[in-house]
Amino acid sequence: MYQIAIIPSGIDTGRQRNYPIRCRQLGAGIIIPIRRHRIQKRLKIFRFREMIELAIKQLDFSYVPYSGFKVGAALRTKDGQYYTGCNIENASYTPTNCAERTAFFKAVSEGVREFEAICVVGGKDGILTDYASPCGVCRQVMMEFCDPETFQIILATGKEQYEVFTLKEILPLGFGPKNLR
């Protein structure tokens, strides 16, 4: 159980003055501060797991009669909405659309332009064995709509097995709208 408390300035909370912070009560009136970054980290882990679950569900919708490699994506907007996508193959290959771009195009077609993170999962016949990293075209679409310093790409093989990268980490010298100003 958490409560808001005023911690006297003599207790090290990592801040300089008295102020309301989130605390945990350990019984008998003992209150310890919980550092904000720990709370945020827990929220991120919950959010990552939620996104992984959504992306995995999208594997069922993949249309992959040629490669058999299913990919699912869950895109989170800055206001907390989700847009999902799956890969859709085509016999002539060029019109094939990746799961990441499907999610982005769904969101953009509804007027959404601010994004926080995307989770991508994939594997042959929908079996997740390795991370399915976005292709170059998908990375370029992300560069169009996302801040490379803060936008997160979550690559997962399950709810407990994932890695998080920024767009800048996977597209270090990306070309985007800022280059044209």
Side-chain angles (χ1 to χ4, degrees):
M1 171 185 246
Y2 297 97
Q3 65 184 28
I4 300 297
I6 300 293
I7 304 297
S9 59
I11 296 178
D12 178 23
T13 62
R15 310 243 178 153
Q16 300 299 321
R17 297 180 252 136
N18 290 345
Y19 63 95
I21 63 167
R22 222 171 234 285
C23 300
R24 184 175 188 181
Q25 187 161 2
L26 297 177
I30 300 170
I31 299 173
I32 61 166
I34 298 177
R35 306 264 167 137
R36 186 171 179 222
H37 66 85
R38 290 171 78 194
I39 294 169
Q40 289 175 342
K41 185 176 180 182
R42 287 187 192 137
L43 291 175
K44 284 182 184 178
I45 290 170
F46 172 76
R47 185 176 55 219
F48 291 162
R49 289 180 181 157
E50 181 178 51
M51 291 178 72
I52 293 166
E53 189 175 319
L54 282 170
I56 289 171
K57 287 179 182 177
Q58 293 307 298
L59 296 172
D60 293 337
F61 303 113
S62 289
Y63 176 73
V64 291
Y66 309 107
S67 73
F69 195 90
K70 296 182 175 191
V71 181
L75 176 64
R76 182 179 167 92
T77 66
K78 285 194 176 178
D79 66 356
Q81 295 180 62
Y82 287 103
Y83 289 86
T84 56
C86 63
N87 56 330
I88 304 163
E89 293 182 345
N90 188 285
S92 65
Y93 292 103
T94 302
T96 293
N97 204 46
C98 299
E100 301 92 307
R101 282 183 283 144
T102 300
F104 268 97
F105 296 161
K106 284 168 67 174
V108 171
S109 71
E110 293 181 22
V112 179
R113 302 284 192 281
E114 295 184 342
F115 304 100
E116 183 177 88
I118 191 167
C119 176
V120 183
V121 299
K124 185 74 171 169
D125 300 318
I127 299 167
L128 308 178
T129 55
D130 292 316
Y131 295 137
S133 185
C135 73
V137 175
C138 289
R139 293 174 195 206
Q140 189 61 49
V141 168
M142 291 176 198
M143 193 71 186
E144 183 69 23
F145 296 105
C146 305
D147 177 355
E149 301 285 340
T150 61
F151 184 73
Q152 296 180 313
I153 295 108
I154 303 142
L155 305 179
T157 57
K159 284 187 196 179
E160 303 298 325
Q161 183 64 39
Y162 61 89
E163 288 191 46
V164 182
F165 303 90
T166 64
L167 179 54
K168 187 169 184 166
E169 288 175 316
I170 68 166
L171 190 62
L173 298 174
F175 182 85
K178 289 180 181 176
N179 296 97
L180 297 175
R181 291 187 189 138

